[in-house]
Amino acid sequence: MASSHGSSPVPRGGRDGIYHKERDAPPARCRSVRSLPDVCPKEPTGERRGLCDGPSVVAEHDRWTVYSSKVNLPAALNDPRLAKRESDFFTKTWGLDFAETEVMPSFYLPNITREHFGPYLQEMAQRERIHERCKTICPNKDDVDAASSVATNHDKSRAELEQVPKIFMKPEFALEDPATFNSVLPWSHFNSAGGKSSRDVASSKLLQEKLSHYLDVVEVSIARQISLRSDAFFHAMSSQHELQDRLQETQRAVAVLRGRTAAIDRIMCQGPLQALRTALTRNNCVKLHNKLKLMAAVHQTQPTVQLLLSTSEFVGALELISTTKEVLQQELQGIHSFRHLGSQLCELEKLIDKMMVEDFSMYARSDLNRVLKDEPLVLEKERLESLVFGLLRQRKLDFLDIYSDETIMAAKAIVSQCVVENVLNIEDIDTEVVTKLFDQMRLMTFPQWFELLRNIFESFLLFLQRIKATLSVIKNVVLEVLASNQRNRLLEEAAGSGASVQEAPRGPSLLQGQAELAYLTHEGLFISDALNEAQQQQQQLVQDQSSAVGSRIQQSRAEAAGSDSAETSISTEQSFMSGENMMPSDLELNRVINNLQELLHTASDVSHDRCVKVLTARAKDGSLARLSSAEFVCLSQAVEGFVRDTEELCSRRSGSLRGALQSQANRFVHRFHDERKTKLSLLLDNERWKQAEVPAEFQDLVNSIADGRITLPERKIPAPEDRRPAEFLLVNGQKYAVVGTVLLLIRIFLEYCQCVNDIPSIATDMLTRLSDLLKHFNSRSCQLVLGAGALQVVGLKTITTKNLALASRCLQLVVHYIPVIRAHFETKLQPKQFSVLRHFDHITKDYNDHVAEISAKLVAIMDGLFEKVLSKYEVKAPMPSACFRNACKQMAKMHEAISELLPEEQTQMLFLRINASFKMHLKRQLARLGVVNDGGPQNGLVVVDVAFYTDNVQALKNLDRLDLNMAEIWEQKR
């Protein structure tokens, strides 16, 4: 071929018979070997097949016969025996890898790069530019003629080919297609009625000539194309003989090289290779022995697991199963005798999971249902730790749900057990007749039922302490696993960072790659030395790994042989730490820790719920609402103490028991308030509004309030030397004349305050009820005194000024204690509840208004009397007049009635108002009589009466310094 001239020269033989490539020959660009097209005849050369009996590169195909010759190019192109031209000249003999094999570079040839041609390119660059410029300016005449002739022929050929219809040029042209056949041979031009006319004959001849013309055009075009490429064909045929000669020389050189290679193989390679094979066989035997020992250890896995399960060593069994599965996947993969062992181990692992769950359920049941007293807090701590380790290792993180369910069942059993134990000590309850526990509780008296409730509280506290201790052990196990995960993570990070500084030991795959590349890196005399070293290292590493795996399995069997509980716990922990791939993640472990705290909270809530059922069962018939204050306070204190202890123990504020107590407290408050309101109403309806003596115990009660003790004093046994009742009630050095109802009212609101002290949760409700009680006292006293209701209720003849003054003083005493009550309730309320204290402000205003109305009533009484008396006043002798004597007498009676009841300041203010009323009526009468302040006789008589009035009024007790200002009775002159 044309490209054969540019190939590299044939190697020349040297003196020593070794072929070397010429060093000064320019390096040719390496091209991949391609098969030659079989277009030239394969002529025999008349020589022998080869220089040796080895395979020949050239003569390896079929022998040449006369049928192999081609006389011309159309014959070569249209050979019907060849379906396709040969393109597998080399690959069909030596395989597909022959053409793709990369040839190793020769050690004797320099590596030629572009820099070697740099000086030549620089020298020839200027000449090349001049040459190209000359070619552009003055093109070659032959090239121009040839180009013009080629262009003319091409245009002519294109014009002729365009005469041929396009249908013949289509790739899918096929006369078998009816449409194509009809379009090429239009039978519509012929007469289909039978017979051939002269016109049909002419049409058929014309069609035949047209098709012949199309064939001639195509053949001429093909011949023209062949003529254009005839030089290349003739050149290829002429170069074929040269190529055959060179291939024969190459064949002889290859034969010599193969002979020498065979001699080298026989002398230098067969012996060392046999040594390598023997060493490899020995290594394989060692590996086989180690595998057999490992298989023997694996074969004992199932009996060992059964032995571990018989001693409840679940973690050890799981670790042994995990190690065996790892060995099966890595070391013994593909062993036919162990093909079912993996599935058996998986089933055994599932069985162990079920056994652990059942064992944990039995443990929880036995731990929660055992006797509460005189027992350790944690039952079989080592067993619990082992179970938790195993469950965590298998990611059975829902085992706390089992413990939660058992907690609920145990809480129910605690209540039932306490009721049964208490009922056995009560002879009045027949358990055969009354079978339900709640009915039995309702038949108990309050002391008996309260004792039962205290026993239930005590049992639940011990129950919660036991649960907390058990959950603490579980939490410690989880924290230990979490710390182990963190330590392992730190070790892995440290190992990863150390590997970047110092090269880590290589695995079998690296050693295998090193053995394969030993012949490239070994610098010794024999390549076999490097191969032996690499294989020995790989063998040593495999032995270490096999021995390590076998020792782990043997260790597991040794642990199953027998050990005490402490050693078992330590080995369990160590084996658990080794199963890193099975350990839960840090997120899952933290979730378990949170679930442990939630489980403790759930246990607290369950305990409270069971106690709530005990309360509601007792309160179903209303017995709790009928408790006395002392009994309900005892109940409230017991419940609050239990709730406080559980909150301190479980760090959980449960509202169910408090809510149930609050519900009962609301009923208690309602009954408590109704009783006292009814009692107060009865007291008011029977009150005759006379001053009552103050017993010493009420005075002591008031004194304790003054000292800041807003509580009811303890009842004292009356002694004969006790003090006698006092006439007045002393409050902060001030005397209060009171009625008996007010004394009892003070004790009643102290009872309210005492209830708030004992039951702080009812402070808001109690404040509202106390406000209602105070309002009721104010409104009812107003109806009885100011409204004169006492005339019909008690049968009083009239409401005297003394009754009014006494009622006013009682109201003032209540007003005095309202701020004290308010301050006491303020200490019991939350800041957000302070808004309810406004009730006291409204009550204080109502009481003050009531006191002002009583004062106005007293003034109105005297005002009506003055109007009646002074309307008959006449200025005439004798003096003092009867009207003034009568007025002074009424004022003296008024003073006598209220002076001992009301304080001095209030008495003075009241008489000032009475005096103003007297002056107003006197002034009006003097104006009617026409008496003026002119110094006349009538004026003198009036002055005498006024002086008499002034002397009498100022002669009354505590009114001597009262400024009456009697000058206002005279009309001012205009």
Side-chain angles (χ1 to χ4, degrees):
M1 294 203 179
S3 61
S4 62
H5 295 284
S7 60
S8 59
V10 179
R12 307 287 183 180
R15 291 176 299 175
D16 53 357
I18 299 176
Y19 289 86
H20 296 280
K21 194 173 184 180
E22 295 180 0
R23 291 183 178 273
D24 54 350
R29 184 175 300 174
C30 297
R31 296 182 180 179
S32 59
V33 179
R34 299 181 182 274
S35 61
L36 297 174
D38 189 10
V39 298
C40 300
K42 300 178 182 178
E43 299 176 357
T45 58
E47 297 180 358
R48 295 179 59 188
R49 182 175 180 181
L51 300 177
C52 64
D53 295 336
S56 174
V57 178
V58 178
E60 194 63 18
H61 301 285
D62 297 335
R63 292 185 176 274
W64 185 88
T65 63
V66 67
Y67 298 104
S68 300
S69 63
K70 276 74 174 180
V71 296
N72 56 13
L73 184 59
L77 294 175
N78 298 322
D79 189 354
R81 295 175 299 172
L82 298 178
K84 59 181 180 178
R85 299 172 63 186
E86 294 186 17
S87 60
D88 52 355
F89 186 77
F90 294 104
T91 57
K92 71 179 182 179
T93 300
W94 291 286
L96 297 176
D97 295 335
F98 180 81
E100 301 295 334
T101 302
E102 183 179 358
V103 180
M104 294 293 295
S106 175
F107 296 103
Y108 300 99
L109 294 178
N111 187 16
I112 303 301
T113 61
R114 186 176 179 81
E115 285 74 10
H116 292 80
F117 299 95
Y120 174 76
L121 292 176
Q122 291 178 1
E123 180 181 354
M124 299 301 295
Q126 183 65 25
R127 297 180 182 179
E128 183 180 5
R129 285 195 294 271
I130 295 172
H131 176 68
E132 292 295 334
R133 191 163 51 250
C134 291
K135 283 173 61 178
T136 305
I137 297 172
C138 300
N140 192 358
K141 183 175 182 296
D142 296 336
D143 294 339
V144 174
D145 295 340
S148 60
S149 63
V150 169
T152 302
N153 293 333
H154 179 69
D155 294 340
K156 184 178 180 181
S157 175
R158 180 182 295 274
E160 291 177 352
L161 286 175
E162 287 179 354
Q163 297 177 6
V164 181
K166 300 299 182 182
I167 190 171
F168 293 101
M169 304 300 180
K170 291 182 179 180
E172 63 272 9
F173 177 79
L175 288 176
E176 293 85 356
D177 186 11
T180 306
F181 186 80
N182 291 333
S183 61
V184 174
L185 298 175
W187 294 103
S188 60
H189 294 175
F190 304 102
N191 187 6
S192 59
K196 295 184 179 179
S197 63
S198 59
R199 183 178 179 182
D200 294 338
V201 173
S203 297
S204 60
K205 289 182 178 181
L206 180 61
L207 179 60
Q208 184 177 2
E209 291 177 359
K210 185 185 295 185
L211 293 177
S212 300
H213 174 67
Y214 294 161
L215 178 61
D216 295 338
V217 170
V218 173
E219 288 180 351
V220 169
S221 179
I222 291 175
R224 185 180 294 111
Q225 295 295 330
I226 293 175
S227 65
L228 292 176
R229 292 166 175 79
S230 59
D231 294 338
F233 290 138
F234 292 130
H235 183 270
M237 294 176 64
S238 62
S239 61
Q240 183 67 21
H241 296 287
E242 182 182 357
L243 181 60
Q244 292 288 343
D245 296 338
R246 293 188 179 184
L247 286 177
Q248 289 177 2
E249 293 178 4
T250 304
Q251 180 183 7
R252 289 193 293 273
V254 169
V256 172
L257 180 60
R258 285 183 174 178
R260 294 187 178 184
T261 304
I264 292 174
D265 176 65
R266 184 176 60 258
I267 296 172
M268 300 182 63
C269 297
Q270 289 183 359
L273 286 177
Q274 183 63 32
L276 289 177
R277 292 191 188 96
T278 305
L280 184 61
T281 303
R282 181 181 181 280
N283 292 337
N284 291 336
C285 292
V286 173
K287 291 179 183 179
L288 178 61
H289 181 251
N290 293 332
K291 290 289 183 183
L292 291 175
K293 290 195 296 182
L294 190 59
M295 291 173 63
V298 170
H299 184 66
Q300 296 298 322
T301 298
Q302 288 180 320
T304 308
V305 169
Q306 297 294 339
L307 183 60
L308 289 171
L309 293 181
S310 64
T311 58
S312 298
E313 288 295 330
F314 299 109
V315 178
L318 289 172
E319 177 61 25
L320 179 58
I321 291 174
S322 176
T323 303
T324 305
K325 289 170 67 176
E326 182 180 355
V327 170
L328 287 175
Q329 293 176 0
Q330 297 180 0
E331 303 294 334
L332 301 180
Q333 188 175 9
I335 303 297
H336 186 71
S337 59
F338 289 154
R339 65 187 182 276
H340 301 303
L341 183 58
S343 59
Q344 293 173 358
L345 293 177
C346 291
E347 294 296 329
L348 192 59
E349 191 172 8
K350 294 179 181 178
L351 178 62
I352 293 176
D353 292 346
K354 295 180 180 179
M355 293 177 62
M356 284 194 300
V357 173
E358 293 177 358
D359 198 6
F360 183 80
S361 179
M362 294 175 58
Y363 173 84
R365 193 176 302 112
S366 60
D367 178 47
L368 296 173
N369 293 319
R370 59 195 172 100
V371 180
L372 292 173
K373 298 180 181 178
D374 301 332
E375 289 283 340
L377 291 178
V378 181
L379 178 66
E380 299 180 8
K381 182 178 179 181
E382 293 78 9
R383 176 188 174 191
L384 176 61
E385 290 177 345
S386 175
L387 284 172
V388 174
F389 270 124
L391 291 170
L392 289 178
R393 189 185 185 281
Q394 293 302 107
R395 294 179 179 269
K396 298 291 183 181
L397 305 181
D398 56 346
F399 65 94
L400 295 180
D401 297 337
I402 301 174
Y403 198 86
S404 177
D405 297 338
E406 295 296 334
T407 300
I408 297 174
M409 301 300 296
K412 295 180 181 179
I414 287 175
V415 175
S416 302
Q417 183 66 26
C418 290
V419 174
V420 171
E421 291 177 357
N422 279 59
V423 169
L424 290 177
N425 299 327
I426 302 175
E427 299 178 355
D428 299 337
I429 300 177
D430 189 358
T431 56
E432 295 180 357
V433 178
V434 184
T435 57
K436 294 184 178 181
L437 297 180
F438 290 160
D439 295 336
Q440 294 174 2
M441 284 191 291
R442 295 190 192 99
L443 294 177
M444 297 179 182
T445 62
F446 178 76
Q448 294 171 347
W449 178 83
F450 186 67
E451 183 65 24
L452 169 64
L453 185 64
R454 293 179 61 183
N455 291 338
I456 292 175
F457 286 164
E458 182 180 358
S459 300
F460 272 123
L461 283 176
L462 294 174
F463 179 68
L464 292 176
Q465 289 175 1
R466 181 172 296 173
I467 291 176
K468 185 176 182 180
T470 302
L471 296 182
S472 177
V473 173
I474 298 176
K475 184 177 180 180
N476 291 336
V477 173
V478 176
L479 290 175
E480 190 172 353
V481 174
L482 187 61
S484 175
N485 285 352
Q486 295 176 355
R487 287 196 299 269
N488 292 335
R489 193 180 303 111
L490 292 176
L491 290 175
E492 290 177 358
E493 294 176 357
S497 61
S500 61
V501 179
Q502 184 178 2
E503 183 180 3
R506 297 183 179 181
S509 60
L510 295 178
L511 292 176
Q512 183 177 1
Q514 182 179 3
E516 293 174 353
L517 299 177
Y519 70 94
L520 294 177
T521 59
H522 186 63
E523 298 178 357
L525 182 60
F526 298 104
I527 297 177
S528 59
D529 296 340
L531 296 175
N532 288 333
E533 291 176 3
Q535 290 178 354
Q536 288 177 2
Q537 293 178 3
Q538 181 176 0
Q539 177 184 356
Q540 183 65 31
L541 183 59
V542 171
Q543 289 178 358
D544 294 342
Q545 290 180 348
S546 302
S547 61
V549 174
S551 65
R552 287 166 63 184
I553 299 178
Q554 295 292 340
Q555 181 181 1
S556 300
R557 290 210 305 268
E559 290 176 359
S563 60
D564 56 16
S565 60
E567 294 175 353
T568 301
S569 176
I570 295 174
S571 64
T572 300
E573 176 184 352
Q574 292 175 351
S575 63
F576 180 80
M577 299 311 170
S578 63
E580 297 177 1
N581 56 341
M582 297 296 294
M583 283 191 287
S585 62
D586 293 352
L587 181 62
E588 293 174 334
L589 293 175
N590 289 325
R591 191 180 297 117
V592 171
I593 294 175
N594 295 334
N595 292 338
L596 287 172
Q597 189 64 31
E598 289 296 329
L599 179 56
L600 184 59
H601 295 168
T602 302
S604 176
D605 294 341
V606 169
S607 302
H608 283 215
D609 293 341
R610 303 313 302 177
C611 294
V612 167
K613 290 185 178 296
V614 175
L615 279 178
T616 53
R618 178 69 179 182
K620 191 172 183 179
D621 58 351
S623 57
L624 292 182
R626 295 189 296 271
L627 295 179
S628 65
S629 301
E631 290 174 341
F632 192 83
V633 167
C634 292
L635 174 62
S636 175
Q637 290 177 349
V639 172
E640 285 292 336
F642 174 71
V643 171
R644 185 170 54 253
D645 293 340
T646 53
E647 288 178 359
E648 182 180 355
L649 183 64
C650 302
S651 302
R652 168 77 167 188
R653 183 177 180 86
S654 181
S656 59
L657 187 55
R658 275 199 175 98
L661 179 63
Q662 184 66 36
S663 177
Q664 298 302 323
N666 293 336
R667 298 179 184 176
F668 168 76
V669 168
H670 181 71
R671 184 187 58 81
F672 179 87
H673 175 66
D674 288 344
E675 289 179 355
R676 276 139 187 86
K677 188 175 181 179
T678 304
K679 180 179 179 181
L680 181 61
S681 298
L682 293 175
L683 290 174
L684 287 172
D685 291 343
N686 294 313
E687 182 61 57
R688 302 189 66 86
W689 297 101
K690 292 183 179 180
Q691 183 177 359
E693 293 182 345
V694 180
E697 59 176 342
F698 282 97
Q699 184 61 54
D700 294 338
L701 189 64
V702 169
N703 294 337
S704 66
I705 294 175
D707 294 337
R709 297 189 299 274
I710 315 298
T711 56
L712 287 173
E714 297 180 358
R715 293 183 178 272
K716 297 180 180 179
I717 300 176
E721 64 274 6
D722 280 349
R723 295 166 294 170
R724 293 181 178 181
E727 185 177 2
F728 295 96
L729 183 67
L730 294 177
V731 180
N732 294 334
Q734 193 175 15
K735 293 181 178 181
Y736 282 89
V738 294
V739 296
T741 303
V742 174
L743 293 176
L744 294 176
L745 178 61
I746 294 175
R747 185 175 184 85
I748 287 173
F749 71 65
L750 282 181
E751 291 177 355
Y752 278 81
C753 295
Q754 183 66 42
C755 277
V756 173
N757 290 338
D758 297 331
I759 314 173
S761 61
I762 63 173
T764 305
D765 196 11
M766 194 64 77
L767 185 148
T768 306
R769 304 305 174 96
L770 179 57
S771 302
D772 179 67
L773 185 73
L774 294 175
K775 290 178 181 179
H776 177 69
F777 174 77
N778 184 35
S779 61
R780 187 60 180 161
S781 61
C782 181
Q783 293 172 4
L784 293 173
V785 179
L786 282 178
L791 299 180
Q792 292 81 19
V793 177
V794 185
L796 295 179
K797 295 180 180 181
T798 182
I799 302 297
T800 63
T801 55
K802 191 169 186 178
N803 297 139
L804 292 172
L806 194 58
S808 176
R809 197 58 175 157
C810 291
L811 293 173
Q812 292 175 10
L813 179 62
V814 176
V815 170
H816 172 77
Y817 280 114
I818 286 178
V820 178
I821 300 172
R822 177 193 176 110
H824 177 74
F825 273 90
E826 189 173 358
T827 60
K828 305 300 179 182
L829 295 176
Q830 299 294 332
K832 61 182 179 181
Q833 298 174 336
F834 284 170
S835 59
V836 298
L837 295 174
R838 67 181 184 276
H839 294 300
F840 290 115
D841 299 332
H842 300 326
I843 294 172
T844 303
K845 182 179 180 300
D846 293 342
Y847 271 70
N848 289 329
D849 293 343
H850 191 184
V851 172
E853 290 177 4
I854 293 177
S855 300
K857 183 66 174 177
L858 292 173
V859 174
I861 292 173
M862 294 304 296
D863 184 76
L865 181 63
F866 291 150
E867 183 179 4
K868 180 179 180 181
V869 171
L870 292 178
S871 63
K872 301 176 182 179
Y873 175 64
E874 294 181 358
V875 183
K876 62 181 180 178
M879 293 296 159
S881 64
C883 292
F884 271 75
R885 286 194 182 98
N886 190 11
C888 291
K889 181 180 178 180
Q890 295 299 329
M891 292 186 70
K893 288 182 179 180
M894 170 69 74
H895 183 269
E896 182 182 1
I898 68 174
S899 60
E900 297 297 331
L901 301 178
L902 299 178
E904 179 181 350
E905 295 81 4
Q906 188 176 355
T907 303
Q908 291 177 358
M909 293 299 298
L910 183 62
F911 270 88
L912 283 176
R913 294 176 61 185
I914 294 173
N915 179 61
S917 176
F918 177 80
K919 290 189 293 183
M920 181 188 66
H921 288 288
L922 179 59
K923 182 178 181 180
R924 188 179 302 166
Q925 184 64 21
L926 291 176
R928 187 181 302 114
L929 295 176
V931 180
V932 295
N933 188 14
D934 55 357
Q938 288 185 336
N939 178 260
L941 293 175
V942 173
V943 170
V944 173
D945 283 338
V946 169
F948 174 76
Y949 168 79
T950 302
D951 293 339
N952 277 277
V953 171
Q954 291 183 346
L956 297 176
K957 185 179 180 181
N958 298 328
L959 299 180
D960 52 348
R961 293 186 300 275
L962 195 65
D963 186 10
L964 299 179
N965 194 12
M966 296 304 295
E968 294 180 353
I969 64 175
W970 304 108
E971 288 286 345
Q972 298 294 331
K973 294 182 180 180
R974 298 181 179 178

